[in-house]
Structure formats: C-alpha cells, structure tokens
Amino acid sequence: MQKTTYFYIVISFLIITLASCKQETKTTSKAKKPNIIYIMADDHTSQAFGIYGSRLASLNPTPTLDKLANQGMIFDNCFVNNAICVPSRAAIITGQRAQTSGVIDLEGILPPEKQYLPKEMKKLGYQTAIVGKWHLHEEPAAFDYYKVLPSQGKYFDPDFRIRGDQPWPQNVVKTNGHSSDVITDITLDWLKNKRDPNTPFFLMHHFKAPHDDFENAPRYDEYLKDTFIPEPASLYDNGNNGSIATRGKNDSLTRIIASSVSHRNVVRNQAMNIYPGTDVYKKYKTAQEIPVSEHQKFENTAEEKEYTSSVYQDYLKKYLRCVKGVDDNVKRLLDYLESEGLLENTIIVYTGDQGFMLGEHDYIDKRWMYEESLRMPFFIRYPKSIKEGSRTNAIINNTDFAPTLIEMAGGDRPGYMQGKSFKTILETGKEPEDWQKATYYRYWMHMAHRHANPAHFGIRTKAYKLIFYYGKYWVDTDNPKAEWNKESWGNDFTRHTPVAWEFYDLKKDPKEMNNVYKDPQYDSVIADLKEQLIRMRKELNETDVNYPHIQKVIDKHWDD
C-alpha cells in the first residue's frame, strides 16, 4: 500500500514538474518576442537631423534621435511613394501602392478591413496600439487601443478620438498642453497602465509636429533665437532646376506654382503665414486676374533678398523649435523603456511621413519628387540583431516598412503586400544582389489647394532621377462629370500646366540644380529609365488604365 502511494506521489510530482517546465518554456518564448515601437513625426525631413549631414546638422537639432540612430542602422535612401500625409500613411499601414490600397490623395480612407499591419501583428500574438496622428479618416478599429487626433489635430490643447460607447468619431476627450507632450503622456500611460505586461506590444507613436503651420511649446521660444540658420543657395538662385511644367514658358508660372519662402509666389508664400495682410490670393479669384504689377512687384533686388532671408529665418526657427520638442519627448519615451528594462528587447523605428522643403529651390511644403520632399529619414535600433553604427544606401520605400516589421515579429510577408522586407539588410548590413535598384513615385493632386504643385510621376535610382509632369490635361474635358475630376484638386488659379520631362544626374548634381533631360549624352540612360518606368508601373498596378485621358497624354508625350 505504501509503495503504491509512493508511486502515485512520484508520478504526480513528475507531471506537475513537466507541466511547469512546459509553461515556463512557453512564457520564456513569449517574453523573447521583441516589442516594437514605430515613431513617426509629421513632416520631419532628413535635412533637420545631425545624422544626415545637411546644412542644418551643425545646429545639432536632434541629439536624442542622432544617438538612437547611431545605435542601430541608418538608411540613406529611404523614399516615400507620394509626399503627402494620407497616401504615405496608407502605404505604411497596408504595404501597398496607392491604386491597390485605394488611397491616392488626401481624401483617401482606410477602412478597418484594410488596416493590415495591426491585423497581421495581432495574428502574431501582439497587442496593438496607436497614439497621435492617424489622418486616415475611418476608425483605426484594427488596433486594440487607439487615442488619435481628429484629422490634422491641434498643436495646443488637442482633442482625441477614442473607442467608447458612441459610434466613431463621437467619443472625444479633451486634453491640455502641447501636442508633442500630450501624445507622449498618452503613450507612457498606455505602457505603464493599459498594456498586458506578459504580451509583446506593437505601438505606433505619431507626433503631429513639426507639421506646418508650426507652433512650438512656449519653453522653446528662446531656442535658436540669436542663431543664424544656414540658408540654401537655391533659395535665391534656382539655376536650371525645373522645366516648363514647373516654371512655365519664360517663367510665366513661377508666381503661382509651388508655395515659396520669398514673395515669388503671390498665391501662397511663407510671409503670409507670418505677416498678416500680405495675402494677394484674397484679392483675386484666378491667375488671369492678377495684374502684371503684382508679378513685377518683387524683383531680385537686395531689398527682396533681405526680406526673403528674414522670412526664412523665422520659418526655420519655428520649424526647428517643433523638432526640438519631438526630440525631447522621444528622450522621455526612451528613458522610460530603459528604466523598466524594456529597451533592449524593443525594436525602435523612427521616421517622418515624408520629406519637407525647407527653402530649397525657394519651396516650402512637400509634394515634389525633388530630394528634400521625396526622401524620408529612417533608422531602426534593435541591438539583438542590428549592428550598432551601421548604415546602408539600399533603396527602400514606405511600402517596405510593414513587411519588414512583420518578419521581425516572426511572421511572413503577406502575399497581398507589394512592399519587400529588408530584414536581411538589417541583420547582415549587406544589400542582396537581387534587391530593388529603383523606386517609383506618384503625386496625384494636380494644383491642389494653394500649394499648387503639378501632378507627376517618376523613377529614382541611386544615380539618376526621371520625372514626368502630365498636368496640362489632368481635367478630362471630354468627360467633365467623371469621378477623377475632383473639385479639391486644382484651384481657381489654374487647372492646366504644361507637359514636360525632367532628368537629374544625382552624382554630379545632388542639389538638382540642372535639368539635363535634353542633353544628348544621357539619351541611352533616359531611354533605359523610361523602360524601367513602364515595367514598374505595370508591376505595381500604377498604370493609368483607369484614367484614359491621362494615358493619352503619356502616349503623346512619352518620346518628347
């Protein structure tokens, strides 16, 4: 009897021990899965970092972010698919190009069933959250937790939309403070009090700053106050940048195309945002109504240069004060992760939602395929698999982010995603021989709003850039009620702009000051790029088969 009892005791002990070991193994395995924090600032361009070596690097605008970047891998050739908020964010969430996701412009929406990145992360056992700017219009319901700004949101005392008893978007909470501080407060509260500490998390932390028009927290009012901000030479002399599509015949469109720092653009320039009472747009409804005197008022004089410099200094200081607030709040987040022992097992990504023009070519805002607008800052830290101090010039774009993060979380790239995972590049520091050699860009919103950029698409390799502007025929006059004739595209000043090509040799001309499309020495290079462009548009589902009036323009002018 005693032997039987002893036997059952031993067996019971072994069963309990094995179950315990199995549970311990399961818990340990789960704990080893990396957390992921994806940090994105709105319009934070690569010029406004130390790590990218721009003219502003000497100001040391991002000490925290530079340190973070140098602890992981920095990407020198990360590009956006469309340099405008909503399409870029849709590309990041879906891993898809614009016509596949259905988000081609600021009116695009991303319903919950297409919010693929959080859906895939949840399949992998992650709890998901998004805090800050969302801007994809429909509820971010695929996330377990969200607290997001309505549309663009406010810099001060922002409201947030949350999940609640009422249908989206009626559940709103009010906050006090500057948005960069408040967004970080919300993220820290979620990390401390709302997440399950036994489950890996995927968190998207999205700042509003430094989106135009810039409003910094008052504590930064003195930052850079007495500092002269280095100015780009192209602010005053744009050389041979552009084409008849962006400048008009004999520069006839320069007063209405693309927001400027200087007085050049009489429709919208930065002075209008700083100095009230200088808005010519309010006086006239169309470009034709603007008298010659308005166009000739601001000549290239010493007085105008002095004025432009003054506006530029104000513009950059406002921008960099917002950047400073972002950098300081990232430090708050990193300090918390370190204090809680979470830092080493957390993949940290930092990027902007596109680039931004900071006076280059006398442009403000984004939208362009020019470098400062096209290029995204991007770096990623994860000591367990990414070598500290590594850097790559491999070409990636924002549709590649989702597949990469999914693979880093232990999953496989979904077949419906068009982006490619660059996990191998992160882990080895080497670019595979079969890695993409070019990226495709498309800006759809022809002459939209008062920024007034002509529609265009193009290809960018490591050495060259080819751009096609098709704007003249954007409005389909044969089918005026067609859905693509959007009222929000095209302003009262002009719906038609000339068709033209631009080509830049980026090795010889990294500042894009000389459009050499007509230079015969590049004929074979341009012909090859056009062939690549045709292939990419087909492969990416980015042709104009659904826009036959645009395809007519392409066919007519392809060999110009």
Side-chain angles (χ1 to χ4, degrees), residues 52-97:
Y52 286 107
S54 78
R55 67 183 185 279
L56 303 177
S58 61
L59 301 175
N60 192 26
T62 50
T64 298
L65 292 170
D66 289 353
K67 180 180 178 181
L68 180 69
N70 285 315
Q71 291 173 344
M73 178 173 282
I74 300 168
F75 284 76
D76 289 317
N77 282 327
C78 178
F79 302 109
V80 71
N81 67 323
N82 182 353
I84 195 73
C85 298
V86 176
S88 174
R89 290 165 189 272
I92 292 164
I93 295 290
T94 64
Q96 295 177 338
R97 292 284 175 163

Side-chain angles (χ1 to χ4, degrees), residues 32-155:
K32 286 183 178 178
K33 208 160 199 176
N35 303 307
I36 302 173
I37 298 181
Y38 177 93
I39 308 171
M40 186 159 67
D42 198 328
D43 293 345
H44 193 182
T45 186
S46 59
Q47 305 97 284
F49 287 81
I51 55 169
Y52 286 107
S54 78
R55 67 183 185 279
L56 303 177
S58 61
L59 301 175
N60 192 26
T62 50
T64 298
L65 292 170
D66 289 353
K67 180 180 178 181
L68 180 69
N70 285 315
Q71 291 173 344
M73 178 173 282
I74 300 168
F75 284 76
D76 289 317
N77 282 327
C78 178
F79 302 109
V80 71
N81 67 323
N82 182 353
I84 195 73
C85 298
V86 176
S88 174
R89 290 165 189 272
I92 292 164
I93 295 290
T94 64
Q96 295 177 338
R97 292 284 175 163
Q99 293 195 64
T100 301
S101 72
V103 181
I104 65 174
D105 57 20
L106 288 177
E107 298 174 23
I109 62 172
L110 197 67
E113 62 269 21
K114 288 188 176 183
Q115 295 167 17
Y116 297 130
L117 181 53
K119 288 167 73 74
E120 293 294 338
M121 286 297 180
K122 287 168 76 170
K123 290 179 186 177
L124 296 170
Y126 280 75
Q127 55 188 319
T128 60
I130 182 168
V131 175
K133 183 172 176 181
W134 168 240
H135 209 184
L136 289 168
H137 305 303
E138 289 206 10
E139 180 182 13
F143 290 87
D144 296 315
Y145 172 90
Y146 65 81
K147 197 167 186 177
V148 295
L149 297 168
S151 187
Q152 192 58 248
K154 299 182 297 182
Y155 265 113

Side-chain angles (χ1 to χ4, degrees), residues 223-430:
Y223 176 62
L224 299 173
K225 182 179 180 181
D226 299 319
T227 301
F228 179 81
I229 310 299
E231 300 174 349
S234 59
L235 175 62
Y236 303 104
D237 182 0
N238 203 17
N240 189 39
N241 167 269
S243 61
I244 192 172
T246 63
R247 301 174 71 146
K249 187 176 182 180
N250 299 322
D251 284 352
S252 59
L253 291 177
T254 56
R255 295 298 187 196
I256 60 174
I257 281 185
S259 305
S260 62
V261 176
S262 74
H263 278 126
R264 174 188 57 79
N265 190 317
V266 297
V267 180
R268 189 182 193 278
N269 58 65
Q270 185 60 19
M272 295 175 183
N273 298 337
I274 301 175
Y275 313 120
T278 60
D279 195 340
V280 174
Y281 179 81
K282 293 178 181 178
K283 302 178 185 178
Y284 310 103
K285 292 182 179 179
T286 67
Q288 290 71 30
E289 290 182 24
I290 302 177
V292 175
S293 60
E294 293 285 5
H295 290 268
Q296 295 177 338
K297 185 184 295 183
F298 311 114
E299 300 297 337
N300 188 22
T301 62
E303 182 181 2
E304 173 61 13
K305 184 173 182 179
E306 181 180 353
Y307 183 84
T308 299
S309 178
S310 175
V311 172
Y312 172 86
Q313 294 297 317
D314 286 346
Y315 174 49
L316 265 291
K317 288 176 183 179
K318 287 174 180 289
Y319 179 86
L320 291 172
R321 286 165 186 159
C322 287
V323 168
K324 176 66 172 169
V326 168
D327 193 75
D328 287 348
N329 273 289
V330 170
K331 186 176 187 305
R332 290 177 61 205
L333 180 54
L334 296 176
D335 286 347
Y336 171 77
L337 295 173
E338 186 170 24
S339 70
E340 295 298 311
L342 294 169
L343 188 59
E344 296 311 297
N345 194 45
T346 300
I347 297 167
I348 301 176
V349 175
Y350 187 91
T351 186
D353 55 349
Q354 67 264 317
F356 201 75
M357 310 299 293
L358 295 178
E360 299 85 7
H361 310 292
D362 190 28
Y363 293 145
I364 61 177
D365 197 62
K366 50 254 186 178
R367 304 167 192 255
W368 291 111
M369 197 181 165
Y370 298 134
E371 284 297 282
E372 296 83 4
S373 172
L374 173 69
R375 185 186 300 279
M376 302 174 75
F378 187 91
F379 47 86
I380 181 167
R381 179 194 189 274
Y382 185 48
K384 292 185 178 181
S385 63
I386 301 173
K387 184 180 177 180
E388 180 177 354
S390 53
R391 197 161 191 146
T392 179
N393 69 348
I395 290 176
I396 64 171
N397 66 70
N398 54 341
T399 63
D400 299 325
F401 298 174
T404 303
L405 294 175
I406 289 167
E407 285 200 359
M408 293 187 78
D412 296 319
R413 168 186 167 267
Y416 60 79
M417 288 190 175
Q418 295 169 295
K420 311 298 182 194
S421 169
F422 49 87
K423 179 173 177 281
T424 299
I425 297 174
L426 291 169
E427 294 175 343
T428 66
K430 297 179 181 179

Side-chain angles (χ1 to χ4, degrees), residues 153-166:
K154 299 182 297 182
Y155 265 113
F156 285 97
D157 302 334
D159 296 337
F160 288 86
R161 291 173 176 167
I162 62 172
R163 184 177 275 115
D165 297 332
Q166 301 299 315

